[in-house]
Amino acid sequence: MSERKKTRFRRGIGGFIASVAVLCVLAYGGVALFFYVGQETLIFRPTPLPASHVFNLPQTTEISLAVDGATLSALHFKQPDAKGLIFFLHGNGGNLSSWLRTTDFYRKNNFDVFMMDYRGYGKSTGSIDSEAQLHRDVMTAWQSVAPQYERKKRVIYGRSLGTALAAKLSSEVESDLTVLVSPFYNLSAMREAHYAWLPAALMRYTFTTDQWLPGAKSPVIILHGAQDELIEIDQAVRLKALVPGVELIKIEGGTHNNLHHLPQYTEPLSAGLAKL
């Protein structure tokens, strides 16, 4: 090969590599932009319900809560002479119809339950625009129902995404017990576990459970599946280390979605409620 051809070849290879590099940078930038702008799509997985949907649960009242720019759908199961209230903050998917299919557990333990759908979930209108907005909605829901139980036991319960909301609420209001099921340390820890190649600076939502939990105004119980494939149990262990008084129950055989089917979950939870 002549020197001229060699030079052309080298230039061609160099140009190809440069083009690939540019494409990679553009692709990374596009993914990063989507991660930043479309963060709600990655975090929240709502399943809407038609406004005509009817929840067929005995002794359960459907409630509409007015918040800034939206109306939240909630369910309130009440029974005679209940010991108290479980204020339930659910995970990032589904809606009330999938999270409250039966009231048997609450009936057995003599607790009422109040559960809300976040904006865009179920029959709730609007959409989640910021973390601060979501926390305000949770506080509005708490203030709407908690005064009814001032002389009874009040439990703040969070599942998965709801654990961060529960931890913050527990640091701001008086309650008798906080229950966190499958909690994460904070959202940066989740990013590191699933999107480590994206910089932390892109996070618009932080959900800093680790900062709120030490300020909880009640005893705290954490239940976490030892085989949780989405939120590894190490995150619960790290939270426990922050607050030595926290009771951590590791559930063998527990994954992220099967805990409520296991006696290793229901029995210690019932025992914790019985102590109140």
Side-chain angles (χ1 to χ4, degrees), residues 181-198:
V181 181
S182 309
F184 52 94
Y185 192 75
N186 54 43
L187 209 57
S188 287
M190 291 297 291
R191 178 196 59 80
E192 291 169 6
H194 299 282
Y195 301 99
W197 46 278
L198 287 169

Side-chain angles (χ1 to χ4, degrees), residues 21-222:
V22 169
L23 288 174
C24 288
V25 169
L26 289 174
Y28 180 85
V31 172
L33 179 63
F34 172 77
F35 183 81
Y36 181 80
V37 175
Q39 215 154 110
E40 287 83 2
T41 303
L42 295 172
I43 299 172
F44 308 110
R45 304 294 178 87
T47 301
L49 288 172
S52 59
H53 179 85
V54 176
F55 297 98
N56 293 311
L57 287 169
Q59 297 176 272
T60 304
T61 303
E62 184 177 353
I63 296 169
S64 294
L65 292 174
V67 292
D68 184 23
T71 301
L72 303 182
S73 172
L75 294 176
H76 191 183
F77 165 68
K78 299 180 71 173
Q79 52 190 325
D81 302 317
K83 185 176 182 178
L85 171 74
I86 295 176
F87 184 80
F88 192 117
L89 295 162
H90 67 62
N92 74 326
N95 54 48
L96 292 175
S97 68
S98 56
W99 282 99
L100 191 60
R101 294 179 176 177
T102 175
T103 56
D104 290 350
F105 176 84
Y106 309 105
R107 194 183 305 277
K108 177 182 177 182
N109 290 279
N110 196 30
F111 269 84
D112 293 352
V113 64
F114 183 96
M115 189 184 303
M116 59 176 277
D117 261 336
Y118 315 125
R119 298 185 189 220
Y121 286 73
K123 296 169 70 173
S124 293
T125 65
S127 60
I128 299 171
D129 297 326
S130 70
E131 184 174 338
Q133 176 202 65
L134 185 54
H135 288 303
R136 288 195 300 270
D137 288 353
V138 168
M139 180 60 77
T140 297
W142 170 265
Q143 291 173 341
S144 76
V145 68
Q148 301 175 37
Y149 295 86
E150 285 185 351
R151 297 183 180 181
K152 296 189 176 185
K153 302 301 181 182
R154 296 182 292 191
V155 178
I156 297 174
Y157 176 112
R159 181 80 182 263
S160 192
L161 171 71
T163 59
L165 304 175
K168 188 174 193 303
L169 182 64
S170 183
S171 71
E172 296 172 334
V173 302
E174 298 293 336
S175 65
D176 297 282
L177 179 66
T178 300
V179 178
L180 305 183
V181 181
S182 309
F184 52 94
Y185 192 75
N186 54 43
L187 209 57
S188 287
M190 291 297 291
R191 178 196 59 80
E192 291 169 6
H194 299 282
Y195 301 99
W197 46 278
L198 287 169
L202 294 175
M203 300 292 293
R204 291 192 291 111
Y205 291 80
T206 56
F207 291 116
T208 51
T209 308
D210 58 311
Q211 294 183 23
W212 299 319
L213 190 60
K217 297 180 180 181
S218 74
V220 178
I221 297 176
I222 293 177

